[in-house]
Amino acid sequence: MEELLHAIERTGTALYVMQTPWVWPALEILHFVGLSLLFGSVAVADLRLIGRLTALPVEYLPTLAQWGLAGFVLNAFSGVLFLVANPTQYFFNWLFWLKMALVAAAGLNVLAYRQLGQLAARGSPLRFEAGQRLVGGVSLLLWVGVLLAGRMLPFLGGD
């Protein structure tokens, strides 16, 4: 496995990211902007789902989701380039795998919310509200976990 990771580190993309002085900092800025869009949108939407920010009309949630998706795409793009440029730093770091597991769990939580909405169309609004609060709360916890794990990656958990 280490041979494969070292081969990835020698690719043109990895060398460009690591050897061009402005690329890594530019990617960090993109990652931060994506994070701000993603977490800002998710936090506002989740707070609305759990019963806070009630002044925010529910009709704005799809727009927030679009901004969140844009942030996720920026993070995925810059994150893949970080991984390609320095795969051994990430691959052997348990915090990287925790972060990826939390991102996957957050994705499953979004699917649960969509399923909840479909079920609500056929069922009780009270069960929908309770489920909506649960999904929103779980989402907030998962994304805070992603933030913490990602921020600590350079400092903890490495080899």
Side-chain angles (χ1 to χ4, degrees), residues 10-29:
R10 292 188 299 272
T11 64
T13 301
L15 292 172
Y16 183 75
V17 169
M18 293 302 285
Q19 294 177 355
T20 307
W22 60 268
V23 173
W24 190 276
L27 289 173
E28 285 184 335
I29 291 168

Side-chain angles (χ1 to χ4, degrees), residues 35-65:
L35 173 70
S36 299
L37 288 171
L38 174 60
F39 188 72
S41 301
V42 165
V44 169
D46 287 344
L47 287 170
R48 178 64 176 93
L49 289 176
I50 65 172
R52 304 288 182 230
L53 298 179
T54 54
L56 177 69
V58 175
E59 295 79 29
Y60 291 151
L61 292 181
T63 301
L64 283 173

Side-chain angles (χ1 to χ4, degrees), residues 6-159:
H6 289 302
I8 292 170
E9 288 175 337
R10 292 188 299 272
T11 64
T13 301
L15 292 172
Y16 183 75
V17 169
M18 293 302 285
Q19 294 177 355
T20 307
W22 60 268
V23 173
W24 190 276
L27 289 173
E28 285 184 335
I29 291 168
L30 277 179
H31 208 70
F32 183 77
V33 169
L35 173 70
S36 299
L37 288 171
L38 174 60
F39 188 72
S41 301
V42 165
V44 169
D46 287 344
L47 287 170
R48 178 64 176 93
L49 289 176
I50 65 172
R52 304 288 182 230
L53 298 179
T54 54
L56 177 69
V58 175
E59 295 79 29
Y60 291 151
L61 292 181
T63 301
L64 283 173
Q66 290 175 348
W67 285 105
L69 181 60
F72 183 82
V73 168
L74 279 175
N75 278 355
F77 171 75
S78 55
V80 165
L81 289 175
F82 289 142
L83 182 61
V84 166
N86 199 355
T88 55
Q89 176 185 354
Y90 297 102
F91 191 82
F92 297 112
N93 190 324
W94 65 272
L95 279 167
F96 170 75
W97 294 108
L98 175 62
K99 179 181 176 179
M100 293 300 101
L102 291 169
V103 168
L108 292 174
N109 195 55
V110 169
L111 294 177
Y113 178 71
R114 294 187 72 162
Q115 185 66 28
L116 182 67
Q118 292 171 359
L119 292 173
R122 299 182 300 240
S124 165
L126 288 177
R127 271 188 253 138
F128 175 70
E129 287 179 22
Q132 168 177 289
R133 288 176 193 267
L134 178 64
V135 166
V138 167
S139 176
L140 275 175
L141 290 174
L142 289 171
W143 285 109
V144 167
V146 169
L147 288 172
L148 291 173
R151 185 62 198 123
M152 298 315 297
L153 267 170
F155 307 108
L156 300 173
D159 46 342

